[in-house]
Amino acid sequence: MSELVPGGNLPLPGGTLTLHVPGPFDVSALITDDSGKVRGDGDFVFYNQPTAPGARLQGEKLTVDPPALRTGASRVTVVVSPAEPGTALGRLPAPTLRVTGPGGGVLARFTPTRPQQETVLLLAEIYRRGTTWKLRALGQGYADGLAGIARDFGVVVSEDADAGAGGGAAPGSSGAPGSRGAGVATALNAARTGLGRLRGSGRAPAGTTGRTPGGGNGRAPVGNTGTPSTGGSPASAPAPDGFLRLVNSARAAVGAPPVSLDARLTTAAHTHAAGMAARGSLGSEGADGLSVYQRLTSSGYAYLTVGEHLVSGPRDAAGFVEYCLSGEQSRRTIHDPAFTEAGVAYVPDSRSGTLYWTALWARPLTPGGLAQTAAEVVALTNSERTRAGLRPLAVDALLTNAAQAHSADMVARAFYSHTSPDGSEPWHRAAAAGSTRRTIGENIACGQRSAAEVVQGWMDSPGHRANILKPDFTHIGVGFAGGGSAGTYWTQLFGA
């Protein structure tokens, strides 16, 4: 495997390549000829248009079969942007690209210098030299978002698309307003302003740090039809029986247990939908800076896992549920057997009449549920250690208390870091909890919705993986808290 630096390149084998960028990013690709320009909108592969000849986007992974690219194509440029529109890349960990070959072997890895205020990054390119295809690491940042990148590559981006109103799709496109069926021009105007996407369960950054007292500090990079209301009244909740019938029928079809409606979830959904309608845009954060998860916890609902659908356009509950079942990620949320309760509401934009929907899905927090989730994290961690020939870690009550306190603190004080606002580090927090272990390490993560997802995310990151597989560690404590801007906050505290 080659670790690339900006400008570095290597020849590629024949066959299909997989390019994976884990984390809170959207992956895109531009297919061009030697002029560096696309031949048409169909050469832009992104979340609203995930396929092109020889290229396919599936979540965090882009597959490219160079010989199958359209005639004349000689270059595929891989682009990453924040999954949360408008976020500067400097607020996120540096993206890491991992390229695997046809047999699944890792060919190359590239982590660029962490961008600052840029909102999009040209990460790498696959290009043809003679009869050979090569990979080149780039790491070039842009501040003008996907729309700016698209223009530079020759994609026509309409300036007069009515993204703010959530009105119809671009000519030749299909799908409800605000959906992932919109065309390139509409979608890119939407992306520039944070509109036009279904917002679903997402993944947020993870971090890791470790220290042995007396040594150095090692950090790794881290349906019934409802009548629309105009004033945000309770009438903006779809008829409960109709919504539940549709949802639970879909869940029963895949063997998932039914959900019930919860008044606190419905209240939080209504408040969030009203905020989106007032400003005419989709988003997980309101104009007051509060996330949909913070609205939920402020209603008094403590959860063990959470999911959401934020959608504009459907005119009734049947249309809303049908739309949410049409995409792989949003369908997974409706089908997720972990959820036991739900709340849904819509509010119309008073200017255009477009309906803005919020659905919240959750399992309430219980002491037993929290203990089970922590035990699952420990079991999955120990499974990775056993696979690597290492001793399993024993649960340490003091480390558990410190890890739980840190997750709760990150939610309460709205930060995400190994260093607390008061300056304390993981080893300080372990000692404050009464631990006398000499070596301490910590993994943190936010946004993951299950134990399996968070452990897999840590294992996919070299720094986190190193902590999980450190032979010296003998004990572990796990913490989890729901809320904050990311929805979930996880902590692993290791000791020896």
Side-chain angles (χ1 to χ4, degrees):
M1 184 194 73
S2 297
E3 288 281 356
L4 297 178
V5 298
N9 65 82
L10 79 158
L12 294 169
T16 300
L17 306 164
T18 300
L19 297 91
H20 183 201
V21 185
F25 307 103
D26 280 334
V27 180
S28 311
L30 291 137
I31 301 167
T32 59
D33 53 25
D34 289 337
S35 71
K37 300 293 184 181
V38 300
R39 190 169 65 179
D41 286 356
D43 283 346
F44 190 17
V45 178
F46 69 125
Y47 52 80
N48 271 37
Q49 185 170 274
T51 60
R56 182 177 183 84
L57 179 64
Q58 294 178 294
E60 300 175 339
K61 295 182 178 180
L62 172 72
T63 56
V64 178
D65 183 3
L69 294 171
R70 55 96 172 158
T71 302
S74 60
R75 190 179 307 267
V76 178
T77 303
V78 182
V79 180
V80 293
S81 55
E84 184 69 28
T87 302
L89 286 166
R91 294 176 57 190
L92 305 176
T96 294
L97 171 68
R98 185 176 62 182
V99 183
T100 58
V106 180
L107 304 175
R109 195 190 313 270
F110 172 54
T111 302
T113 301
R114 185 177 179 181
Q116 296 303 313
Q117 296 305 312
E118 296 89 345
T119 57
V120 67
L121 185 72
L122 301 185
L123 188 56
E125 60 183 9
I126 296 171
Y127 65 102
R128 186 176 60 208
R129 281 292 178 266
T131 59
T132 301
W133 288 87
K134 295 186 173 184
L135 173 73
R136 178 185 288 124
L138 297 176
Q140 177 185 350
Y142 273 62
D144 197 21
L146 284 180
I149 287 270
R151 286 194 199 91
D152 283 0
F153 279 78
V155 178
V156 176
V157 180
S158 156
E159 289 294 339
D160 56 358
D162 188 11
S173 69
S174 63
S179 78
R180 286 183 181 244
V184 170
T186 297
L188 286 178
N189 275 283
R192 188 172 59 234
T193 56
L195 311 179
R197 274 183 81 184
L198 179 149
R199 305 295 305 173
S201 299
R203 187 175 297 178
T208 174
T209 185
R211 174 182 183 263
T212 300
N217 179 10
R219 294 176 187 256
V222 254
N224 278 359
T225 299
T227 302
S229 70
T230 56
S233 69
S236 66
D241 292 344
F243 176 76
L244 275 184
R245 184 181 69 252
L246 292 165
V247 166
N248 285 331
S249 175
R251 290 174 65 86
V254 297
V259 294
S260 59
L261 288 179
D262 181 89
R264 293 164 297 177
L265 289 168
T266 298
T267 297
H270 174 263
T271 301
H272 193 76
M276 293 192 299
R279 67 180 188 275
S281 68
L282 297 172
S284 60
E285 188 173 282
D288 55 4
L290 293 180
S291 73
V292 65
Y293 318 112
Q294 289 168 312
R295 299 191 196 287
L296 182 51
T297 54
S298 67
S299 74
Y301 192 103
Y303 55 81
L304 190 62
T305 188
V306 67
E308 74 281 347
H309 288 110
L310 311 179
V311 182
S312 64
R315 301 303 300 175
D316 54 32
F320 171 73
V321 174
E322 180 182 5
Y323 174 66
C324 292
L325 289 170
S326 67
E328 181 181 357
Q329 180 173 320
S330 57
R331 183 168 58 248
R332 282 203 304 266
T333 299
I334 287 186
H335 288 164
D336 195 332
F339 298 135
T340 59
E341 296 177 335
V344 65
Y346 63 77
V347 176
D349 179 338
S350 61
R351 295 152 296 193
S352 67
T354 299
L355 299 187
Y356 283 82
W357 295 76
T358 298
L360 294 173
W361 313 83
R363 176 186 289 271
L365 179 70
T366 63
L370 179 60
Q372 180 180 349
T373 297
E376 289 172 358
V377 172
V378 173
L380 290 166
T381 298
N382 280 334
S383 177
E384 296 292 348
R385 288 179 64 88
T386 299
R387 189 176 293 117
L390 300 172
R391 293 177 301 168
L393 302 172
V395 174
D396 182 295
L398 298 178
L399 294 179
T400 298
N401 292 341
Q404 182 62 38
H406 188 55
S407 288
D409 192 31
M410 287 191 288
V411 170
R413 292 202 277 180
F415 73 98
Y416 176 69
S417 175
H418 297 289
T419 304
S420 300
D422 58 12
S424 64
E425 302 282 0
W427 35 94
H428 300 138
R429 294 189 290 271
S435 175
T436 58
R437 302 198 178 277
R438 293 182 54 80
T439 302
I440 295 293
E442 182 179 81
N443 285 346
I444 60 174
C446 61
Q448 293 79 7
R449 307 301 168 88
S450 69
E453 185 179 344
V454 73
V455 173
Q456 186 60 57
W458 281 326
M459 287 299 294
D460 287 342
S461 168
H464 306 87
R465 181 186 180 94
N467 267 348
I468 288 175
L469 300 183
K470 185 170 181 176
D472 292 347
F473 287 143
T474 57
H475 290 76
I476 187 174
V478 174
F480 167 84
S485 60
T488 57
Y489 291 78
W490 305 79
T491 303
Q492 279 182 318
L493 201 56
F494 304 93

Coordinates of all heavy atoms in Angstrom, one line a residue, residues 120-151:
V120 N -15.2 22.8 0.0 CA -15.1 21.6 -0.9 C -13.6 21.4 -1.2 O -12.8 22.3 -1.2 CB -15.9 21.9 -2.2 CG1 -15.3 23.0 -3.0 CG2 -16.1 20.6 -3.0
L121 N -13.3 20.2 -1.5 CA -11.9 19.8 -1.7 C -11.7 18.8 -2.9 O -12.5 17.8 -2.9 CB -11.4 19.1 -0.4 CG -9.9 18.7 -0.3 CD1 -9.0 20.0 -0.2 CD2 -9.6 17.8 0.8
L122 N -10.9 19.2 -3.8 CA -10.5 18.2 -4.8 C -9.5 17.3 -4.2 O -8.4 17.7 -3.8 CB -9.8 19.0 -6.0 CG -10.6 20.0 -6.8 CD1 -9.8 20.5 -8.0 CD2 -11.9 19.5 -7.2
L123 N -9.9 16.1 -4.0 CA -9.1 15.1 -3.2 C -8.1 14.4 -4.0 O -6.9 14.2 -3.6 CB -10.1 14.2 -2.4 CG -9.4 13.3 -1.4 CD1 -8.7 14.1 -0.3 CD2 -10.5 12.4 -0.7
A124 N -8.5 13.8 -5.1 CA -7.6 13.0 -5.9 C -8.2 12.9 -7.3 O -9.4 13.3 -7.6 CB -7.4 11.6 -5.3
E125 N -7.4 12.4 -8.2 CA -7.9 12.1 -9.6 C -7.4 10.8 -10.1 O -6.2 10.4 -9.8 CB -7.5 13.3 -10.5 CG -6.1 13.5 -10.7 CD -5.8 14.7 -11.6 OE1 -6.7 15.5 -11.9 OE2 -4.6 14.9 -11.9
I126 N -8.2 10.1 -10.9 CA -7.8 9.0 -11.7 C -7.6 9.4 -13.1 O -8.6 10.0 -13.7 CB -8.8 7.8 -11.6 CG1 -8.9 7.3 -10.1 CG2 -8.5 6.7 -12.5 CD1 -10.1 6.4 -9.9
Y127 N -6.5 9.3 -13.7 CA -6.2 9.8 -15.0 C -5.5 8.8 -15.9 O -4.8 7.9 -15.4 CB -5.5 11.1 -15.0 CG -4.1 11.0 -14.4 CD1 -3.0 11.0 -15.2 CD2 -3.8 10.9 -13.0 CE1 -1.7 10.9 -14.7 CE2 -2.6 10.8 -12.5 CZ -1.5 10.8 -13.4 OH -0.2 10.7 -12.9
R128 N -5.6 9.0 -17.2 CA -5.0 8.1 -18.2 C -3.7 8.7 -18.8 O -3.7 9.8 -19.2 CB -6.0 7.7 -19.3 CG -5.5 6.6 -20.3 CD -6.5 6.3 -21.3 NE -6.9 7.5 -22.1 CZ -8.1 7.6 -22.6 NH1 -9.0 6.7 -22.5 NH2 -8.3 8.7 -23.4
R129 N -2.7 7.9 -18.8 CA -1.4 8.3 -19.4 C -1.1 7.2 -20.4 O -0.7 6.1 -20.0 CB -0.3 8.5 -18.4 CG -0.3 9.8 -17.7 CD 0.0 11.0 -18.7 NE -0.1 12.3 -18.0 CZ -1.1 13.0 -18.0 NH1 -2.2 12.6 -18.6 NH2 -1.1 14.2 -17.4
G130 N -1.3 7.4 -21.7 CA -1.1 6.4 -22.7 C -2.2 5.3 -22.5 O -3.4 5.5 -22.5
T131 N -1.7 4.1 -22.2 CA -2.7 3.0 -22.0 C -2.8 2.7 -20.5 O -3.5 1.7 -20.1 CB -2.2 1.7 -22.7 OG1 -0.9 1.4 -22.3 CG2 -2.2 2.0 -24.2
T132 N -2.1 3.5 -19.6 CA -2.1 3.2 -18.2 C -3.0 4.2 -17.5 O -2.9 5.4 -17.8 CB -0.7 3.3 -17.7 OG1 0.2 2.3 -18.3 CG2 -0.6 3.0 -16.2
W133 N -3.7 3.7 -16.5 CA -4.5 4.6 -15.6 C -3.7 4.8 -14.3 O -3.1 3.8 -13.8 CB -5.9 4.0 -15.3 CG -6.8 4.1 -16.5 CD1 -6.9 3.2 -17.5 CD2 -7.7 5.2 -16.8 NE1 -7.8 3.7 -18.4 CE2 -8.3 4.9 -18.0 CE3 -8.0 6.4 -16.1 CZ2 -9.3 5.7 -18.6 CZ3 -9.0 7.2 -16.7 CH2 -9.6 6.9 -17.9
K134 N -3.7 6.0 -13.8 CA -2.9 6.3 -12.6 C -3.8 7.1 -11.6 O -4.9 7.6 -11.9 CB -1.7 7.2 -12.9 CG -0.7 6.5 -13.8 CD 0.6 7.4 -13.9 CE 1.7 6.6 -14.6 NZ 2.9 7.5 -14.7
L135 N -3.4 7.1 -10.4 CA -4.0 7.8 -9.3 C -3.1 9.0 -8.9 O -1.9 8.7 -8.6 CB -4.3 6.9 -8.1 CG -4.8 7.6 -6.8 CD1 -6.3 8.1 -7.0 CD2 -4.7 6.7 -5.6
R136 N -3.6 10.2 -8.8 CA -2.8 11.3 -8.3 C -3.5 11.9 -7.1 O -4.7 12.2 -7.1 CB -2.6 12.4 -9.3 CG -1.8 13.6 -8.8 CD -1.7 14.7 -9.9 NE -0.8 14.3 -10.9 CZ -1.1 14.3 -12.2 NH1 -2.4 14.6 -12.6 NH2 -0.3 13.9 -13.1
A137 N -2.8 12.2 -6.0 CA -3.3 12.9 -4.8 C -3.3 14.4 -5.1 O -2.3 14.9 -5.6 CB -2.5 12.5 -3.6
L138 N -4.4 15.1 -4.7 CA -4.5 16.5 -5.0 C -4.5 17.3 -3.7 O -3.5 17.9 -3.3 CB -5.7 16.8 -5.8 CG -5.8 16.2 -7.2 CD1 -7.1 16.4 -7.9 CD2 -4.6 16.7 -8.1
G139 N -5.7 17.4 -3.0 CA -5.8 18.1 -1.8 C -5.9 19.6 -2.0 O -5.5 20.4 -1.2
Q140 N -6.6 20.0 -3.1 CA -6.8 21.4 -3.4 C -8.2 21.9 -2.9 O -9.2 21.3 -3.3 CB -6.7 21.6 -4.9 CG -7.0 23.1 -5.4 CD -7.0 23.2 -6.9 OE1 -6.6 22.3 -7.6 NE2 -7.5 24.4 -7.4
G141 N -8.3 22.9 -2.1 CA -9.5 23.4 -1.5 C -10.2 24.5 -2.3 O -9.5 25.3 -3.0
Y142 N -11.5 24.6 -2.3 CA -12.3 25.6 -2.9 C -13.2 26.2 -1.8 O -13.6 25.5 -0.9 CB -13.2 25.0 -4.0 CG -12.6 24.9 -5.3 CD1 -11.5 24.1 -5.6 CD2 -13.2 25.6 -6.4 CE1 -11.0 24.0 -6.9 CE2 -12.6 25.5 -7.7 CZ -11.5 24.7 -7.9 OH -11.0 24.6 -9.2
A143 N -13.5 27.5 -1.9 CA -14.4 28.2 -1.0 C -15.8 28.4 -1.5 O -16.6 28.8 -0.8 CB -13.8 29.5 -0.5
D144 N -16.0 28.0 -2.8 CA -17.3 28.4 -3.4 C -18.2 27.2 -3.5 O -19.2 27.2 -4.3 CB -17.0 28.9 -4.8 CG -18.2 29.7 -5.4 OD1 -19.1 30.1 -4.6 OD2 -18.3 29.8 -6.6
G145 N -18.0 26.1 -2.8 CA -18.9 25.0 -2.7 C -18.9 24.2 -4.0 O -18.2 24.4 -5.0
L146 N -19.9 23.2 -4.1 CA -20.0 22.3 -5.2 C -20.4 23.1 -6.5 O -19.9 22.8 -7.6 CB -21.1 21.3 -5.0 CG -20.7 20.1 -4.0 CD1 -21.8 19.2 -3.9 CD2 -19.5 19.4 -4.6
A147 N -21.2 24.2 -6.3 CA -21.6 25.0 -7.5 C -20.3 25.6 -8.2 O -20.2 25.6 -9.4 CB -22.6 26.0 -7.1
G148 N -19.4 26.1 -7.4 CA -18.2 26.7 -7.9 C -17.3 25.7 -8.6 O -16.8 25.9 -9.7
I149 N -17.2 24.5 -8.0 CA -16.4 23.4 -8.6 C -17.0 23.0 -9.9 O -16.3 22.9 -11.0 CB -16.3 22.2 -7.7 CG1 -15.4 22.5 -6.5 CG2 -15.9 21.0 -8.4 CD1 -14.0 22.1 -6.7
A150 N -18.3 22.9 -9.9 CA -19.0 22.4 -11.1 C -18.8 23.4 -12.3 O -18.6 23.0 -13.4 CB -20.5 22.2 -10.8
R151 N -18.9 24.7 -12.0 CA -18.7 25.7 -13.0 C -17.3 25.6 -13.6 O -17.1 25.7 -14.8 CB -19.0 27.1 -12.5 CG -20.4 27.4 -12.3 CD -20.6 28.9 -12.1 NE -21.8 29.2 -11.4 CZ -22.0 29.3 -10.1 NH1 -21.0 29.1 -9.3 NH2 -23.2 29.6 -9.6

